[in-house]
Amino acid sequence: MSDHIIKFDKVGKSYGSLKVLDGLDFEVKRGEKVTIIGPSGSGKSTVLRVLMTLETINAGVVYVGNEPLWHEQCNGALVPAGEGHLRKMRQQLGMVFQQFNLFPHMTVRRNIAEAPVKVLGLSRQDANLRAEELLEMVGLADQADKYPHQLSGGQQQRVGIARALAMRPKVMLFDEPTSALDPELVGEVLNVIARLASEHDLTMLLVTHEMRFAREVSDRVCFFDKGRIKEQGTPEELFTDPKEQRTRDFLKAVLDA
Amino acid sequence: MLFGIEWDTSSELAFAWSILPILLIGLWVTVQATVLGFFVALVLGLILAVLKAAPSRFISWPARALTEFIRDTPLLIQLFFLYYVLPEYGIVLPAFLTGALALGLQYSAYTSEVYRAGLEAIGRDQREAARALNFPAAHTFTHVLLPQAIPRIIPAMGNYLVSIMKDVPVLSVVTVLEMLNVAKIIGDRTFDYMVPLSMVGGLYLIMTLVASAGVRLLDMRLPKQGLPLK
Amino acid sequence: MAWTEYLTPLLAGAWVTVQLTVYSTILGAILAFAFGIGKLSPNGLIKAVSVAYIEIFRGTSLLVQLFWLYFALPIAGQVIGLDLRLPPVVAGVLALGLNIGAYGAEVVRGAIQSVQKSQYEAARALNFTPRQALFGVALPQAIPEMMPPFGNLAVQNLKDTALVSLISLGDLAFRAEQLRNFTQDSTTIYTVVLFMYFGMALVVTALMKTLERLVGRWRYASN
């Protein structure tokens, strides 16, 4: 019995001849906060999208808890999982999208409460209560009746975070949550994520370009390159004393920018 | 005399005034055929759209081919086909119903594309968010995709409603007494085609301008973000 | 009677259909450009005429237009002392061309208007006259945009030619109806005719795709 909540075992994913994940081995401990950095096209977002079952894999096995995510046991062999298994596994994960992906025709409250009602079976009343608590937490208690387009990008993303949290996931996935935001709105979103990291024992997986933020909140930073982890370590190790030339070049390029 | 109404040929103006009620009776038939044809098109189009989106190629491919075939062949021939061939298989329908069925069939090819485009226009991000929240497929369709698709679909469907109205005169070939047919009969009997046919043109112009304005107005009032869910 | 024996008369009709389609599509294209550009004209009169043409022919039914040209126009001619009796083929080509031209004009107008404002600004900065900007800058970019809807209109036009059979022009639809009267073999005849129209539509679509590639060549040029 390991204390890993996520484990990638030689996972491969390719689009035609392009290898996005190339025999990836990767583990995350329960409660760990891991940041993934790397150049675009290095496969870092794909790790999150595979975990959220938005994209399939071509090779290897992904474990969440101790169960394979994309496979089911059948007569001792692993076979591709059916929708029922995926739905069960998905329950443990929550995702925050780069483009927020809020439902434009639902009020903020309904965006958050819809899945608890329809998927977890909460009453509309309990779900609304949960939504309001979460809105309070992300500092948007007074915006519950607005529609997404009436909010700023930073506010929309905070709703996106609340929406994912409403499902009480064990693992939160953040896919470049601030990349689509104007610079002056980045702070409010990062503050919410930082509070979440310090006050909860939630496992968090974060893909970001915000290096300073990565350094503050993560237990571990992984540098991705060409579908594999090129180098990983504590933020201290990776940012101050990277071993690999490739890592040094990347950090130099982004920190100088 | 037609429909028991006499015409007055003493002057062009008197003639026009006297045949107006007759043409309006024909117009009422035109409206009925339009509405019934539109309804058939909405239903058949939805069926075609669902079949075309089927995961199995053995269903989606024939559905796509059928849509293409319907869209690429003339309404007139489809109408003759239904009118003469259906009775051979024991299905005898009144000319009016056969006509509305033909209109609906022809336009189902177009409406099925409207349904498809309306659903596809909703970005992948919405499907992914629904998936990440573990929505059941049916709920994603009814609460995420449809409410956003409907405001996109309605104006396009409205335009096809107007098109159907303009195609109703084709039904005159199977003896349906719609407005153009009525005008033609008046012309045949009075040897004055000018007045009735021009009036039909004018009435059509009024109807399509009003209907198009209605569609535009409706389009402006539809919520662009989708049907709101509180 | 085997279905192959229907082919000779039907093919004769199909040939008339092809000719009608070609002539009326060419007429329609000329009208589409004339009135589509006319609708954007700063000259109020040209603009009004263009708008009136487009609205009248889009707003009334093709069959109404066809009957009007064939049955009503000669009477209007009598009144002003002119012989405006049109042979069916002329009335047919005119009605089809005028009708499809009005739809095409809206396509032309839309495509010209969709050319980015920055292109006109660049043209103005280079001191092009409005005419030069239209023909040298806007149209070459707009025409490839027009091709897909033009393709749909051409198929629409092919289908619409069937209506001229109602003014006793011997096209495919007319021959089919004649044969049916003669043989009562409706299922076979109309099935064959549907497939003949379908085949012709596929050819029209393919031709328009080729044309689309031709006028859009600059888009695919490498280096």
Side-chain angles (χ1 to χ4, degrees):
Chain A
M1 186 74 196
S2 70
D3 59 347
H4 295 129
I5 191 160
I6 289 169
K7 181 174 174 187
F8 279 61
D9 186 7
K10 299 193 180 53
V11 173
K13 158 104 192 147
S14 44
Y15 299 110
S17 62
L18 178 72
K19 280 187 181 166
V20 191
L21 297 181
D22 185 10
L24 174 69
D25 287 314
F26 175 55
E27 293 172 356
V28 179
K29 290 201 201 84
R30 238 169 256 282
E32 199 180 9
K33 282 50 172 165
V34 178
T35 303
I36 300 174
I37 60 171
S40 53
S42 60
K44 52 193 198 307
S45 280
T46 309
V47 170
L48 301 194
R49 296 174 57 79
V50 162
L51 276 169
M52 197 65 254
T53 68
L54 299 177
E55 282 179 38
T56 56
I57 55 175
N58 308 122
V61 185
V62 178
Y63 296 91
V64 173
N66 281 317
E67 267 190 278
L69 174 67
W70 279 105
H71 302 82
E72 279 173 296
Q73 298 279 354
C74 183
N75 302 328
L78 286 179
V79 297
E83 184 62 21
H85 176 81
L86 292 180
R87 288 183 59 77
K88 192 188 75 185
M89 297 302 289
R90 239 180 250 143
Q91 208 83 286
Q92 309 175 49
L93 302 147
M95 185 157 183
V96 174
F97 295 89
Q98 187 177 348
Q99 302 290 342
F100 330 138
N101 295 22
L102 297 181
F103 302 123
H105 58 302
M106 295 185 193
T107 58
V108 164
R109 181 187 290 110
R110 179 127 188 188
N111 257 285
I112 302 169
E114 192 70 358
V117 171
K118 294 298 166 183
V119 180
L120 302 181
L122 261 64
S123 72
R124 184 63 68 186
Q125 206 179 1
D126 290 349
N128 282 342
L129 216 63
R130 188 183 278 196
E132 273 145 30
E133 277 167 23
L134 285 164
L135 282 172
E136 182 82 51
M137 194 202 102
V138 298
L140 294 170
D142 49 341
Q143 312 286 335
D145 289 312
K146 294 209 171 143
Y147 287 92
H149 71 273
Q150 296 171 298
L151 304 182
S152 73
Q155 290 173 320
Q156 289 188 44
Q157 192 56 298
R158 280 143 69 193
V159 174
I161 295 170
R163 185 176 71 173
L165 286 172
M167 297 298 281
R168 305 267 159 93
K170 294 186 185 133
V171 181
M172 279 285 280
L173 309 171
F174 294 89
D175 187 7
E176 305 199 24
T178 57
S179 297
L181 296 176
D182 292 335
E184 75 271 19
L185 300 176
V186 169
E188 58 186 75
V189 172
L190 293 184
N191 282 340
V192 169
I193 300 174
R195 274 233 321 281
L196 210 58
S198 64
E199 291 170 13
H200 297 264
D201 55 357
L202 210 59
T203 308
M204 287 173 40
L205 214 54
L206 177 76
V207 171
T208 188
H209 292 294
E210 301 285 335
M211 295 302 153
R212 194 142 45 105
F213 180 71
R215 198 167 176 161
E216 279 169 29
V217 298
S218 1
D219 302 317
R220 176 157 59 105
V221 178
C222 301
F223 174 68
F224 259 65
D225 191 38
K226 300 196 174 85
R228 287 164 182 256
I229 298 175
K230 191 83 177 173
E231 183 171 2
Q232 56 179 321
T234 64
E236 198 58 31
E237 289 167 358
L238 199 96
F239 285 119
T240 52
D241 185 22
K243 305 278 178 293
E244 299 278 341
Q245 185 60 41
R246 192 75 189 84
T247 318
R248 277 199 289 274
D249 293 344
F250 174 77
L251 287 174
K252 189 169 179 324
V254 290
L255 294 177
D256 286 355
Chain B
M1 191 179 88
L2 194 64
F3 304 131
I5 300 172
E6 294 284 353
W7 41 73
D8 173 359
T9 48
S10 57
S11 74
E12 295 279 287
L13 204 65
F15 181 51
W17 184 245
S18 67
I19 62 171
L20 184 62
I22 308 176
L23 291 179
L24 288 179
I25 292 171
L27 187 144
W28 177 233
V29 175
T30 301
V31 169
Q32 286 173 308
T34 304
V35 171
L36 189 58
F38 184 58
F39 178 74
V40 174
L42 287 182
V43 175
L44 284 182
L46 185 61
I47 295 171
L48 278 178
V50 170
L51 291 178
K52 282 193 285 188
S56 161
R57 264 182 223 176
F58 293 101
I59 300 172
S60 68
W61 199 87
R64 233 174 284 161
L66 181 64
T67 309
E68 199 60 39
F69 189 82
I70 296 172
R71 193 189 16 217
D72 281 354
T73 48
L75 169 63
L76 180 72
I77 309 294
Q78 291 173 7
L79 176 61
F80 277 142
F81 188 89
L82 293 178
Y83 190 69
Y84 291 116
V85 174
L86 284 184
E88 290 189 8
Y89 295 91
I91 306 167
V92 183
L93 296 175
F96 176 80
L97 283 185
T98 313
L101 196 62
L103 281 171
L105 181 70
Q106 168 90 177
Y107 278 91
S108 68
Y110 297 93
T111 57
S112 75
E113 281 301 294
V114 174
Y115 288 119
R116 191 191 56 74
L119 288 173
E120 274 182 7
I122 300 159
R124 204 179 55 160
D125 64 330
Q126 292 289 304
R127 290 165 212 270
E128 287 187 347
R131 196 149 190 224
L133 294 168
N134 228 347
F135 282 174
H139 188 73
T140 303
F141 186 74
T142 55
H143 281 68
V144 178
L145 301 181
L146 263 195
Q148 296 184 64
I150 286 172
R152 296 165 203 269
I153 287 173
I154 289 177
M157 290 299 186
N159 289 331
Y160 283 127
L161 177 75
V162 178
S163 297
I164 290 176
M165 185 164 72
K166 286 185 280 186
D167 272 346
V168 170
V170 176
L171 271 49
S172 62
V173 299
V174 293
T175 72
V176 173
L177 285 172
E178 50 67 50
M179 185 164 55
L180 180 65
N181 203 2
V182 168
K184 177 84 176 359
I185 292 171
I186 296 173
D188 289 341
R189 297 198 188 158
T190 60
F191 302 103
D192 184 354
Y193 291 100
M194 184 72 197
V195 173
L197 287 180
S198 303
M199 285 172 75
V200 169
L203 287 170
Y204 253 107
L205 202 55
I206 293 168
M207 286 198 295
T208 52
L209 287 179
V210 169
S212 303
V215 171
R216 261 199 303 278
L217 205 70
L218 189 65
D219 188 20
M220 279 193 302
R221 289 176 157 246
L222 285 169
K224 288 289 161 295
Q225 311 289 334
L227 304 179
L229 297 178
K230 286 249 183 229
Chain C
M1 211 169 159
W3 69 274
T4 43
E5 290 175 54
Y6 300 141
L7 280 182
T8 317
L10 290 182
L11 281 174
W15 176 235
V16 175
T17 295
V18 168
Q19 288 172 301
L20 276 170
T21 306
V22 170
Y23 294 143
S24 59
T25 302
I26 290 172
L27 175 63
I30 294 168
L31 293 170
F33 276 98
F35 289 103
I37 293 170
K39 191 170 171 180
L40 296 172
S41 167
N43 180 318
L45 182 65
I46 295 175
K47 189 173 171 157
V49 169
S50 303
V51 170
Y53 161 71
I54 293 169
E55 291 302 322
I56 287 172
F57 282 89
R58 275 163 44 104
T60 57
S61 172
L62 168 61
L63 203 51
V64 175
Q65 293 154 24
L66 183 66
F67 279 9
W68 199 90
L69 283 176
Y70 190 66
F71 295 111
L73 191 64
I75 295 167
Q78 269 175 7
V79 174
I80 53 172
L82 282 174
D83 183 8
L84 291 179
R85 280 174 299 176
L86 304 176
V89 68
V90 175
V93 168
L94 258 183
L96 289 166
L98 283 165
N99 185 261
I100 213 73
Y103 286 92
E106 279 298 90
V107 172
V108 169
R109 179 199 56 79
I112 292 175
Q113 279 185 327
S114 75
V115 173
Q116 298 221 335
K117 224 176 97 190
S118 59
Q119 292 291 312
Y120 290 104
E121 285 169 358
R124 177 167 295 181
L126 295 169
N127 218 359
F128 283 16
T129 64
R131 183 181 298 260
Q132 286 168 326
L134 176 65
F135 286 98
V137 178
L139 273 182
Q141 298 180 56
I143 288 176
E145 295 292 330
M146 300 172 195
M147 294 318 289
F150 273 177
N152 290 338
L153 287 179
V155 172
Q156 181 68 46
N157 199 28
L158 165 69
K159 293 197 296 176
D160 283 345
T161 58
L163 294 181
V164 302
S165 64
L166 303 180
I167 54 168
S168 35
L169 204 72
D171 75 324
L172 181 52
F174 187 80
R175 299 281 177 186
E177 179 62 7
Q178 267 188 333
L179 269 181
R180 191 203 60 80
N181 261 323
F182 186 59
T183 65
Q184 296 300 318
D185 184 7
S186 4
T187 312
T188 315
I189 293 167
Y190 283 116
T191 305
V192 172
V193 168
L194 281 173
F195 275 96
M196 287 176 80
Y197 272 109
F198 185 52
M200 288 193 279
L202 292 183
V203 172
V204 169
T205 306
L207 284 176
M208 292 306 283
K209 282 259 150 59
T210 312
L211 196 60
E212 184 179 337
R213 218 160 309 141
L214 233 59
V215 298
R217 260 176 323 194
W218 57 272
R219 290 183 164 185
Y220 312 110
S222 49
N223 297 324

mmCIF file of all heavy atoms in Angstrom, chain A residues 31-33 137 174 190-204 213 216-219:
data_model
loop_
_atom_site.group_PDB
_atom_site.id
_atom_site.type_symbol
_atom_site.label_atom_id
_atom_site.label_comp_id
_atom_site.label_asym_id
_atom_site.label_seq_id
_atom_site.Cartn_x
_atom_site.Cartn_y
_atom_site.Cartn_z
ATOM 1 N N GLY A 31 -2.000 14.788 -0.449
ATOM 2 C CA GLY A 31 -1.803 16.085 0.193
ATOM 3 C C GLY A 31 -0.664 16.904 -0.387
ATOM 4 O O GLY A 31 -0.444 18.047 0.014
ATOM 5 N N GLU A 32 0.044 16.324 -1.331
ATOM 6 C CA GLU A 32 1.190 17.039 -1.886
ATOM 7 C C GLU A 32 0.734 18.143 -2.845
ATOM 8 O O GLU A 32 -0.284 18.001 -3.512
ATOM 9 C CB GLU A 32 2.086 16.042 -2.640
ATOM 10 C CG GLU A 32 3.496 16.541 -2.860
ATOM 11 C CD GLU A 32 4.362 15.524 -3.617
ATOM 12 O OE1 GLU A 32 3.819 14.511 -4.118
ATOM 13 O OE2 GLU A 32 5.562 15.764 -3.715
ATOM 14 N N LYS A 33 1.483 19.224 -2.895
ATOM 15 C CA LYS A 33 1.212 20.298 -3.845
ATOM 16 C C LYS A 33 2.336 20.273 -4.882
ATOM 17 O O LYS A 33 3.477 20.590 -4.555
ATOM 18 C CB LYS A 33 1.233 21.668 -3.165
ATOM 19 C CG LYS A 33 0.031 22.099 -2.348
ATOM 20 C CD LYS A 33 -0.485 21.174 -1.334
ATOM 21 C CE LYS A 33 -1.555 21.767 -0.448
ATOM 22 N NZ LYS A 33 -2.267 20.728 0.295
ATOM 23 N N MET A 137 -15.918 31.969 0.358
ATOM 24 C CA MET A 137 -14.499 31.628 0.473
ATOM 25 C C MET A 137 -13.663 32.293 -0.614
ATOM 26 O O MET A 137 -12.550 32.731 -0.364
ATOM 27 C CB MET A 137 -14.343 30.108 0.406
ATOM 28 C CG MET A 137 -12.996 29.615 0.837
ATOM 29 S SD MET A 137 -12.707 27.989 0.135
ATOM 30 C CE MET A 137 -11.631 28.412 -1.197
ATOM 31 N N PHE A 174 -5.170 22.283 -11.686
ATOM 32 C CA PHE A 174 -5.241 23.666 -12.174
ATOM 33 C C PHE A 174 -4.476 23.752 -13.489
ATOM 34 O O PHE A 174 -3.248 23.596 -13.502
ATOM 35 C CB PHE A 174 -4.617 24.622 -11.155
ATOM 36 C CG PHE A 174 -5.359 24.711 -9.848
ATOM 37 C CD1 PHE A 174 -5.060 23.840 -8.803
ATOM 38 C CD2 PHE A 174 -6.342 25.672 -9.654
ATOM 39 C CE1 PHE A 174 -5.738 23.911 -7.597
ATOM 40 C CE2 PHE A 174 -7.022 25.749 -8.451
ATOM 41 C CZ PHE A 174 -6.726 24.872 -7.413
ATOM 42 N N LEU A 190 -4.507 33.876 -7.755
ATOM 43 C CA LEU A 190 -3.408 33.175 -7.082
ATOM 44 C C LEU A 190 -3.611 33.180 -5.576
ATOM 45 O O LEU A 190 -3.322 32.194 -4.887
ATOM 46 C CB LEU A 190 -2.067 33.811 -7.457
ATOM 47 C CG LEU A 190 -1.653 33.632 -8.924
ATOM 48 C CD1 LEU A 190 -0.263 34.223 -9.160
ATOM 49 C CD2 LEU A 190 -1.682 32.169 -9.340
ATOM 50 N N ASN A 191 -4.134 34.282 -5.030
ATOM 51 C CA ASN A 191 -4.390 34.346 -3.591
ATOM 52 C C ASN A 191 -5.340 33.247 -3.150
ATOM 53 O O ASN A 191 -5.132 32.608 -2.115
ATOM 54 C CB ASN A 191 -4.987 35.708 -3.220
ATOM 55 C CG ASN A 191 -3.911 36.773 -3.161
ATOM 56 O OD1 ASN A 191 -2.724 36.442 -3.020
ATOM 57 N ND2 ASN A 191 -4.306 38.026 -3.293
ATOM 58 N N VAL A 192 -6.388 33.052 -3.939
ATOM 59 C CA VAL A 192 -7.363 32.007 -3.599
ATOM 60 C C VAL A 192 -6.690 30.638 -3.617
ATOM 61 O O VAL A 192 -6.867 29.822 -2.704
ATOM 62 C CB VAL A 192 -8.558 32.042 -4.576
ATOM 63 C CG1 VAL A 192 -9.428 30.809 -4.398
ATOM 64 C CG2 VAL A 192 -9.377 33.307 -4.359
ATOM 65 N N ILE A 193 -5.877 30.392 -4.650
ATOM 66 C CA ILE A 193 -5.218 29.092 -4.757
ATOM 67 C C ILE A 193 -4.229 28.908 -3.601
ATOM 68 O O ILE A 193 -4.155 27.839 -2.991
ATOM 69 C CB ILE A 193 -4.492 28.956 -6.116
ATOM 70 C CG1 ILE A 193 -5.501 29.077 -7.260
ATOM 71 C CG2 ILE A 193 -3.765 27.612 -6.200
ATOM 72 C CD1 ILE A 193 -4.871 29.091 -8.638
ATOM 73 N N ALA A 194 -3.519 29.958 -3.251
ATOM 74 C CA ALA A 194 -2.537 29.868 -2.169
ATOM 75 C C ALA A 194 -3.236 29.562 -0.842
ATOM 76 O O ALA A 194 -2.778 28.732 -0.052
ATOM 77 C CB ALA A 194 -1.747 31.172 -2.071
ATOM 78 N N ARG A 195 -4.369 30.220 -0.609
ATOM 79 C CA ARG A 195 -5.114 29.963 0.630
ATOM 80 C C ARG A 195 -5.569 28.517 0.684
ATOM 81 O O ARG A 195 -5.466 27.838 1.707
ATOM 82 C CB ARG A 195 -6.343 30.883 0.695
ATOM 83 C CG ARG A 195 -6.069 32.231 1.275
ATOM 84 C CD ARG A 195 -7.026 32.592 2.422
ATOM 85 N NE ARG A 195 -8.406 32.166 2.211
ATOM 86 C CZ ARG A 195 -9.290 32.810 1.439
ATOM 87 N NH1 ARG A 195 -8.939 33.903 0.793
ATOM 88 N NH2 ARG A 195 -10.512 32.358 1.326
ATOM 89 N N LEU A 196 -6.044 28.050 -0.460
ATOM 90 C CA LEU A 196 -6.496 26.668 -0.569
ATOM 91 C C LEU A 196 -5.352 25.719 -0.223
ATOM 92 O O LEU A 196 -5.529 24.731 0.495
ATOM 93 C CB LEU A 196 -6.944 26.431 -2.015
ATOM 94 C CG LEU A 196 -8.027 25.420 -2.284
ATOM 95 C CD1 LEU A 196 -9.287 25.778 -1.525
ATOM 96 C CD2 LEU A 196 -8.310 25.418 -3.795
ATOM 97 N N ALA A 197 -4.161 26.044 -0.715
ATOM 98 C CA ALA A 197 -2.998 25.180 -0.510
ATOM 99 C C ALA A 197 -2.593 25.153 0.950
ATOM 100 O O ALA A 197 -2.231 24.104 1.487
ATOM 101 C CB ALA A 197 -1.836 25.655 -1.374
ATOM 102 N N SER A 198 -2.671 26.292 1.627
ATOM 103 C CA SER A 198 -2.171 26.332 2.998
ATOM 104 C C SER A 198 -3.202 25.853 4.009
ATOM 105 O O SER A 198 -2.855 25.334 5.051
ATOM 106 C CB SER A 198 -1.702 27.753 3.337
ATOM 107 O OG SER A 198 -2.812 28.623 3.303
ATOM 108 N N GLU A 199 -4.500 26.015 3.689
ATOM 109 C CA GLU A 199 -5.507 25.714 4.694
ATOM 110 C C GLU A 199 -6.118 24.318 4.562
ATOM 111 O O GLU A 199 -6.855 23.886 5.429
ATOM 112 C CB GLU A 199 -6.630 26.761 4.624
ATOM 113 C CG GLU A 199 -6.166 28.132 5.080
ATOM 114 C CD GLU A 199 -7.204 29.210 4.790
ATOM 115 O OE1 GLU A 199 -8.361 28.858 4.478
ATOM 116 O OE2 GLU A 199 -6.848 30.390 4.881
ATOM 117 N N HIS A 200 -5.856 23.632 3.440
ATOM 118 C CA HIS A 200 -6.488 22.331 3.240
ATOM 119 C C HIS A 200 -5.432 21.284 2.938
ATOM 120 O O HIS A 200 -4.370 21.601 2.435
ATOM 121 C CB HIS A 200 -7.498 22.384 2.083
ATOM 122 C CG HIS A 200 -8.636 23.312 2.355
ATOM 123 N ND1 HIS A 200 -9.826 22.899 2.859
ATOM 124 C CD2 HIS A 200 -8.728 24.655 2.196
ATOM 125 C CE1 HIS A 200 -10.629 23.946 3.005
ATOM 126 N NE2 HIS A 200 -9.983 25.021 2.598
ATOM 127 N N ASP A 201 -5.770 20.023 3.202
ATOM 128 C CA ASP A 201 -4.802 18.984 2.871
ATOM 129 C C ASP A 201 -5.127 18.340 1.521
ATOM 130 O O ASP A 201 -4.818 17.197 1.250
ATOM 131 C CB ASP A 201 -4.717 17.932 3.981
ATOM 132 C CG ASP A 201 -6.082 17.353 4.285
ATOM 133 O OD1 ASP A 201 -7.062 17.819 3.668
ATOM 134 O OD2 ASP A 201 -6.172 16.442 5.128
ATOM 135 N N LEU A 202 -5.787 19.125 0.708
ATOM 136 C CA LEU A 202 -6.105 18.729 -0.656
ATOM 137 C C LEU A 202 -4.821 18.462 -1.443
ATOM 138 O O LEU A 202 -3.836 19.172 -1.291
ATOM 139 C CB LEU A 202 -6.812 19.919 -1.292
ATOM 140 C CG LEU A 202 -7.839 19.766 -2.377
ATOM 141 C CD1 LEU A 202 -8.987 18.916 -1.906
ATOM 142 C CD2 LEU A 202 -8.335 21.159 -2.748
ATOM 143 N N THR A 203 -4.861 17.423 -2.285
ATOM 144 C CA THR A 203 -3.754 17.227 -3.212
ATOM 145 C C THR A 203 -3.942 18.189 -4.375
ATOM 146 O O THR A 203 -5.048 18.315 -4.887
ATOM 147 C CB THR A 203 -3.756 15.787 -3.754
ATOM 148 O OG1 THR A 203 -3.820 14.891 -2.644
ATOM 149 C CG2 THR A 203 -2.527 15.513 -4.588
ATOM 150 N N MET A 204 -2.864 18.895 -4.749
ATOM 151 C CA MET A 204 -3.008 19.867 -5.826
ATOM 152 C C MET A 204 -1.953 19.664 -6.892
ATOM 153 O O MET A 204 -0.786 19.446 -6.584
ATOM 154 C CB MET A 204 -2.927 21.303 -5.277
ATOM 155 C CG MET A 204 -4.181 21.673 -4.512
ATOM 156 S SD MET A 204 -4.139 23.260 -3.647
ATOM 157 C CE MET A 204 -3.309 24.316 -4.763
ATOM 158 N N PHE A 213 5.047 32.215 -7.867
ATOM 159 C CA PHE A 213 3.929 31.580 -7.183
ATOM 160 C C PHE A 213 4.218 30.088 -6.976
ATOM 161 O O PHE A 213 4.011 29.542 -5.884
ATOM 162 C CB PHE A 213 2.657 31.768 -8.005
ATOM 163 C CG PHE A 213 1.448 31.145 -7.380
ATOM 164 C CD1 PHE A 213 0.881 31.702 -6.239
ATOM 165 C CD2 PHE A 213 0.877 30.013 -7.919
ATOM 166 C CE1 PHE A 213 -0.231 31.122 -5.658
ATOM 167 C CE2 PHE A 213 -0.239 29.433 -7.341
ATOM 168 C CZ PHE A 213 -0.795 29.993 -6.210
ATOM 169 N N GLU A 216 6.323 29.571 -4.060
ATOM 170 C CA GLU A 216 5.688 29.790 -2.760
ATOM 171 C C GLU A 216 4.813 28.618 -2.331
ATOM 172 O O GLU A 216 4.833 28.230 -1.178
ATOM 173 C CB GLU A 216 4.797 31.041 -2.818
ATOM 174 C CG GLU A 216 5.566 32.334 -2.660
ATOM 175 C CD GLU A 216 4.678 33.526 -2.992
ATOM 176 O OE1 GLU A 216 3.448 33.420 -2.798
ATOM 177 O OE2 GLU A 216 5.216 34.542 -3.461
ATOM 178 N N VAL A 217 4.018 28.100 -3.249
ATOM 179 C CA VAL A 217 2.990 27.156 -2.800
ATOM 180 C C VAL A 217 3.373 25.681 -2.918
ATOM 181 O O VAL A 217 2.773 24.844 -2.251
ATOM 182 C CB VAL A 217 1.644 27.337 -3.560
ATOM 183 C CG1 VAL A 217 1.082 28.705 -3.309
ATOM 184 C CG2 VAL A 217 1.808 27.032 -5.033
ATOM 185 N N SER A 218 4.363 25.329 -3.749
ATOM 186 C CA SER A 218 4.537 23.904 -4.018
ATOM 187 C C SER A 218 5.491 23.214 -3.049
ATOM 188 O O SER A 218 6.404 23.820 -2.503
ATOM 189 C CB SER A 218 5.025 23.654 -5.438
ATOM 190 O OG SER A 218 5.215 24.829 -6.134
ATOM 191 N N ASP A 219 5.211 21.908 -2.858
ATOM 192 C CA ASP A 219 6.152 21.057 -2.146
ATOM 193 C C ASP A 219 7.225 20.575 -3.112
ATOM 194 O O ASP A 219 8.333 20.270 -2.732
ATOM 195 C CB ASP A 219 5.439 19.829 -1.570
ATOM 196 C CG ASP A 219 4.308 20.237 -0.643
ATOM 197 O OD1 ASP A 219 4.522 21.171 0.161
ATOM 198 O OD2 ASP A 219 3.215 19.641 -0.739
#
